Amino acid sequence: VQLQASGGGLVQNGGSLRLSCAASGRTFSSYVMGWFRQAPGKEREFVAAISWSGVVTYYADSLKGRFTISRDNAKNTTYLQMNSLKPEDTAVYYCAAGGVPGTYPDAYDYWGQGTQVTVSS
């Protein structure tokens, strides 16, 4: 499966962005989808994941209440709604597809190219 992340950009402190991850190739609805982020000089960290059906979601504890993951299997797209953004949310955001809802990058088989999110203070 090929993944294309989009929707990043520059936003002010407290603002919102919605990232999208469009999938093509093999059956999108059979994959768990995840979002990770990586800031300069830091390891890639888990943000959120969603089951193939969209019923079950998982979040990094520090992001609960501000970020929401969703998916539209008819459109082969996963979304990450990010609200109340802070400067520390600045990172490259990656979407990923895999078979299990893991919180580690190794749990995912396919990765998008990443989209830059910059939150100004």
Side-chain angles (χ1 to χ4, degrees):
V1 62
Q2 292 79 43
L3 303 175
Q4 179 74 36
S6 62
L10 175 64
V11 63
Q12 291 186 336
N13 189 15
S16 298
L17 279 175
R18 187 176 82 155
L19 306 183
S20 298
C21 176
S24 61
R26 300 179 67 181
T27 306
F28 170 77
S29 61
S30 65
Y31 287 98
V32 168
M33 296 300 297
W35 286 96
F36 287 75
R37 68 184 184 183
Q38 188 166 18
K42 296 187 177 182
E43 293 186 353
R44 192 166 297 190
E45 66 171 344
F46 173 74
V47 173
I50 188 166
S51 65
W52 63 270
S53 65
V55 171
V56 185
T57 56
Y58 311 82
Y59 295 95
D61 288 342
S62 62
L63 300 176
K64 286 180 181 177
R66 294 197 298 124
F67 288 17
T68 303
I69 189 171
S70 61
R71 67 190 295 163
D72 185 338
N73 287 342
K75 295 182 178 180
N76 284 4
T77 303
T78 301
Y79 305 98
L80 184 68
Q81 178 67 44
M82 305 185 294
N83 298 328
S84 302
L85 283 163
K86 306 174 183 179
E88 51 263 43
D89 294 319
T90 295
V92 177
Y93 284 71
Y94 298 89
C95 60
V100 294
T103 60
Y104 292 93
D106 287 349
Y108 296 84
D109 303 308
Y110 304 97
W111 291 84
Q113 85 289 1
T115 184
Q116 176 71 48
V117 172
T118 303
V119 184
S120 63
S121 58

